[in-house]
Amino acid sequence: MNSHFLLTQGIPTSLVLAIVGLAFAILLIRVIMKSSPGNEKMAEIGNAIQLGAKAYLNRQIRAISIIAFVIFIAVWYTRGGVSSIGFVVGAVCSLLAGYIGMNVAVRANVRTAWAASVGAHPALKVAFNGGAVTGLLVVVLGLLSVGVFFLVVGKMSGDKVAIDSLIGLALGSSLISVFARLGGGIYTKAADVGADLVGKIEQNLNEDDPRNPATIADNVGDNVGDCAGMAADVFETYAVSLIGALLVGHLTAPGNHEVLVYPFVLCGLAILASLLGIGFVNFIKLKATPALVGGVAVSGLAAAALFKWATAAIFTAPVVLAGKTISPTDIFYCSLIGLALTFAVVWITNYFTSTAHNPVRRIAKASETGHATNIIAGISVGHHATLLPVLSIAASIWFSWDLGGLYGIAIAVVSMLSLSGIIVSLDAFGPITDNAGGIAVMSGLPEEVRKITDELDAVGNTMKAVTKGYAIASAGLAAMVLFGSYVEEVKAFLHLDKLVFDLMDPRVIIGMFIGGLLPYLFTAFGMDAVGNAAGAVVREVRRQIALKPGILTGQDIPEYGQCVDIVTKAALRQMIVPALLPIVFVIGVAFLGKEALGGLLIGTIITGLFVGIAMTSSGGAWDNAKKYVEEGNHGGKGSFAHAAAVTGDTVGDPYKDTSGPAVNPMIKVVNVLAILVIPLFFK
């Protein structure tokens, strides 16, 4: 394939590769559906989880649609009809990625439980393939939505209008992502915390015991939070990063087609690399952790080789960006930095959240002396966990900027996010294995089956933490690109040669203070929501047990639907205020001027990055410390250390699955919205 072909047909080629990825996702769905769903009891439990998850997502879509319509009108007014269509495209694709992926996940869970009765590797394959459907849908829909929109609008009105209009698509995906992350996170953790507080601590029931009235709501929550929420989250980061690269390329090298084609080609080739990684997990018989990490390694190495070829084919000569001449080799190195950061974040997060390493074991050891020492150790681990990721991100920014300026950073982000297909597969693997374990317990499968699902669930917990770390790290890098885009957009709109954010300017400092405050306020609302909803679940579970004591002896069947209904209503009601906070803050600070709004972006990026990493790492470590104790360490199940570990896990639940990961799309909403309001506030 010669360079001229890739330069002229690179974007259509990337879209063809996306369709190839979609075909493989459909193939995986067929393979999963051919697997046995188990016995009648398992099918009944699986169906209850499916109905609960579907009912919640349908109600969430109706609730979001009202707010989305208002913002659609606002985008139409500020940016025109094409941008508002982009807003709808971004919102719909973000919802689709999560909705379809979740529907496959809730069918894969019961099949994973049954496959565990055959062996560990068959169960691993079913669970991973269920997750891989979500992973492929995220990258396929992300690439198709941005690519088709760019080509169609570009053909009608030119590249400049197309790129400007893509900001609407970015906002649509970001806004839906915040709602999906928050709503799903509130749902899953309210049910989980409520189930644990009464079931484990008060009644001494095991995880997923069918006598617990909140157990179905808990299993539903795993899907709407970790599967649908994560899919919308990474879809948004993927789409926004691709759009950010196009925006930076257009602003720093106007009229240069190479810089616009290159990000699309990287994303298309990375889909092929992800398919190789998915094949590795399926066909190489290894234990869960080596298989999953090996799949990521295979994808990364394949992507690096393909990126080298694509860079040489597209950039046949040095390119001038913002007055700086950059060689093709330097651009390729920027793409390698993105891949290297992916591996760094995966390794670091795995170290801080896996049962195999010291941080988790330190929390488990601290549980021997009580609940308070467990909490202290968990918070400490989360704070320690910020050091290496932030240094890795800082190094990536430094070297990417040195090699390729702002465009170099944008390429590093696109390269990092291009592996989302395989990374999201790891994340969705988590709720599938968690549900599989629950179904195994509720349907009375043998103990050896539960042992396999427990082992897979522990790996799934680490993988969920790893992917959250990946999402937050990529958000930090992507936000840097969006901040640079904000600066370039303001300069272009106001015809300025230079825009400086002077720390002696009180407007900049005020903006930074308010921006730094936003992640704390945002996460506080998320924690409040989980606490309030969990309290309602606790009261309902206690009511049912008091009314029907036979529930605990197995004579009476709990009313599972009551708890499902309580958390559904609570999640939808309490996600609204925190999700709208970024919009209120951006519009409020914009009145103070472009300097203050720039300060807001800087403050939000910095504190958001630290808060997000600390909360997700603490939560993941607390969860696996509990599992480490349950494996028989420090007294095992029923011991004093176990009770303290359960408390830590309960505190960590909203940390890692509600507030912490929701910071990621919140950062992007703030940055995208700031770009969107430039024509409205700065004349």
Side-chain angles (χ1 to χ4, degrees):
M1 189 182 292
N2 60 41
S3 60
H4 178 72
F5 175 84
L6 207 56
L7 188 58
T8 56
Q9 301 300 320
I11 299 176
T13 301
S14 70
L15 299 182
V16 170
L17 293 174
I19 292 167
V20 170
L22 182 61
F24 270 88
I26 294 167
L27 179 65
L28 286 176
I29 292 171
R30 290 171 66 90
V31 169
I32 292 162
M33 295 308 290
K34 281 182 180 177
S35 303
S36 172
N39 58 41
E40 192 177 327
K41 180 68 174 172
M42 292 172 69
E44 183 186 325
I45 296 163
N47 190 50
I49 295 169
Q50 282 179 43
L51 291 175
K54 196 170 181 181
Y56 169 75
L57 281 187
N58 288 339
R59 286 166 75 167
Q60 186 187 51
I61 289 168
R62 288 198 296 271
I64 294 172
S65 297
I66 299 165
I67 298 164
F69 179 73
V70 175
I71 296 170
F72 168 80
I73 299 299
V75 173
W76 186 293
Y77 176 72
T78 56
R79 284 275 181 160
V82 181
S83 290
S84 60
I85 292 168
F87 173 83
V88 173
V89 170
V92 168
C93 288
S94 184
L95 281 171
L96 271 178
Y99 195 87
I100 300 171
M102 186 276 298
N103 271 295
V104 174
V106 294
R107 286 162 175 79
N109 54 22
V110 70
R111 288 164 171 81
T112 300
W114 188 252
S117 62
V118 179
H121 191 70
L124 168 68
K125 281 174 63 174
V126 176
F128 177 76
N129 287 338
V133 171
T134 306
L136 288 172
L137 283 173
V138 164
V139 293
V140 163
L141 288 172
L143 185 51
L144 286 174
S145 61
V146 177
V148 172
F149 188 85
F150 177 75
L151 285 180
V152 171
V153 177
K155 189 75 76 178
M156 291 164 55
S157 309
D159 285 355
K160 185 181 185 313
V161 174
I163 292 168
D164 286 345
S165 303
L166 280 170
I167 297 297
L169 193 151
L171 181 65
S173 61
S174 295
L175 194 75
I176 294 302
S177 176
V178 171
F179 280 112
R181 254 304 182 200
L182 264 177
I186 293 166
Y187 187 133
T188 182
K189 291 307 111 179
D192 197 354
V193 170
D196 285 356
L197 286 175
V198 180
K200 288 183 183 176
I201 295 174
E202 293 182 13
Q203 302 296 339
N204 201 29
L205 299 176
N206 286 330
E207 184 94 27
D208 299 312
D209 193 303
R211 292 172 293 175
N212 191 331
T215 192
I216 292 291
D218 184 10
N219 281 279
V220 170
D222 292 329
N223 293 288
V224 299
D226 284 321
C227 193
M230 182 64 176
D233 181 355
V234 178
F235 170 88
E236 171 262 346
T237 308
Y238 182 92
V240 167
S241 300
L242 181 53
I243 291 165
L246 297 176
L247 192 57
V248 168
H250 170 70
L251 292 169
T252 55
N256 189 324
H257 193 59
E258 296 167 346
V259 297
L260 302 182
V261 171
Y262 187 60
F264 282 108
V265 172
L266 293 188
C267 289
L269 293 174
I271 291 175
L272 293 181
S274 292
L275 292 175
L276 288 174
I278 291 166
F280 176 89
V281 177
N282 274 275
F283 297 114
I284 306 296
K285 286 192 175 181
L286 294 170
K287 286 190 173 180
T289 299
L292 298 176
V293 173
V296 176
V298 166
S299 294
L301 292 172
L306 291 168
F307 290 177
K308 183 173 176 58
W309 166 76
T311 309
I314 292 172
F315 295 101
T316 53
V319 61
V320 178
L321 291 155
K324 180 181 178 181
T325 302
I326 299 163
S327 71
T329 305
D330 287 343
I331 293 173
F332 169 64
Y333 286 154
C334 290
S335 72
L336 285 188
I337 287 169
L339 296 177
L341 181 59
T342 299
F343 285 106
V345 170
V346 166
W347 182 84
I348 294 163
T349 313
N350 181 64
Y351 173 75
F352 280 100
T353 57
S354 169
T355 54
H357 301 293
N358 185 54
V360 166
R361 295 185 177 192
R362 196 167 77 243
I363 297 172
K365 175 71 176 170
S367 304
E368 290 182 351
T369 50
H371 301 259
T373 45
N374 170 284
I375 300 298
I376 291 166
I379 292 172
S380 167
V381 164
H383 287 197
H384 280 301
T386 60
L387 173 65
L388 292 176
V390 169
L391 289 180
S392 301
I393 292 166
S396 301
I397 291 171
W398 179 278
F399 290 117
S400 300
W401 175 269
D402 190 53
L403 289 166
L406 189 59
Y407 185 74
I409 298 174
I411 290 305
V413 183
V414 168
S415 172
M416 185 179 186
L417 266 300
S418 70
L419 289 183
S420 295
I422 187 80
I423 298 288
V424 175
S425 303
L426 305 187
D427 183 81
F429 171 85
I432 292 171
T433 53
D434 194 349
N435 272 196
I439 291 167
V441 170
M442 286 185 276
S443 57
L445 292 181
E447 189 61 35
E448 55 268 25
V449 174
R450 179 67 204 218
K451 189 172 183 296
I452 290 172
T453 57
D454 274 352
E455 287 170 0
L456 291 177
D457 185 24
V459 174
N461 273 335
T462 302
M463 292 304 141
K464 286 191 288 186
V466 161
T467 49
K468 289 182 180 88
Y470 165 83
I472 291 166
S474 62
L477 211 55
M480 177 70 191
V481 174
L482 290 172
F483 174 71
S485 302
Y486 166 78
V487 174
E488 295 295 332
E489 278 274 321
V490 171
K491 282 163 60 179
F493 183 71
L494 299 177
H495 307 293
L496 302 174
D497 294 327
K498 200 173 184 182
L499 179 59
V500 177
F501 295 93
D502 188 347
L503 292 178
M504 294 301 292
D505 184 341
R507 290 172 297 181
V508 175
I509 297 296
I510 290 167
M512 287 174 69
F513 276 140
I514 295 172
L517 160 72
L518 180 54
Y520 286 94
L521 194 59
F522 179 83
T523 53
F525 272 107
M527 297 289 284
D528 285 341
V530 171
N532 294 336
V537 174
V538 167
R539 288 189 291 275
E540 173 59 24
V541 174
R542 285 175 180 165
R543 183 193 70 81
Q544 288 195 33
I545 290 172
L547 191 67
K548 297 179 180 177
I551 286 174
L552 295 178
T553 61
Q555 292 173 309
D556 291 321
I557 298 172
E559 296 174 39
Y560 300 117
Q562 289 289 346
C563 289
V564 171
D565 193 53
I566 285 169
V567 286
T568 297
K569 288 175 180 174
L572 294 176
R573 186 174 62 252
Q574 300 203 44
M575 72 179 180
I576 303 296
V577 172
L580 294 178
L581 275 179
I583 299 172
V584 173
F585 270 61
V586 168
I587 292 172
V589 172
F591 282 104
L592 300 178
K594 58 187 181 298
E595 295 83 5
L597 189 53
L600 175 91
L601 303 186
I602 296 166
T604 303
I605 293 166
I606 291 172
T607 62
L609 190 62
F610 283 99
V611 168
I613 293 171
M615 293 184 92
T616 53
S617 299
S618 284
W622 266 316
D623 195 344
N624 272 348
K626 177 202 69 177
K627 283 200 163 40
Y628 186 68
V629 172
E630 288 175 347
E631 287 169 7
N633 302 292
H634 307 290
K637 281 185 180 180
S639 65
F640 179 70
H642 183 234
V646 169
T647 299
D649 176 38
T650 306
V651 173
D653 275 338
Y655 259 54
K656 69 179 171 64
D657 288 326
T658 308
S659 292
V663 170
N664 166 28
M666 186 273 291
I667 293 172
K668 255 78 62 57
V669 168
V670 170
N671 281 268
V672 170
L673 200 60
I675 295 171
L676 203 67
V677 300
I678 289 169
L680 199 61
F681 288 95
F682 310 139
K683 298 287 170 67

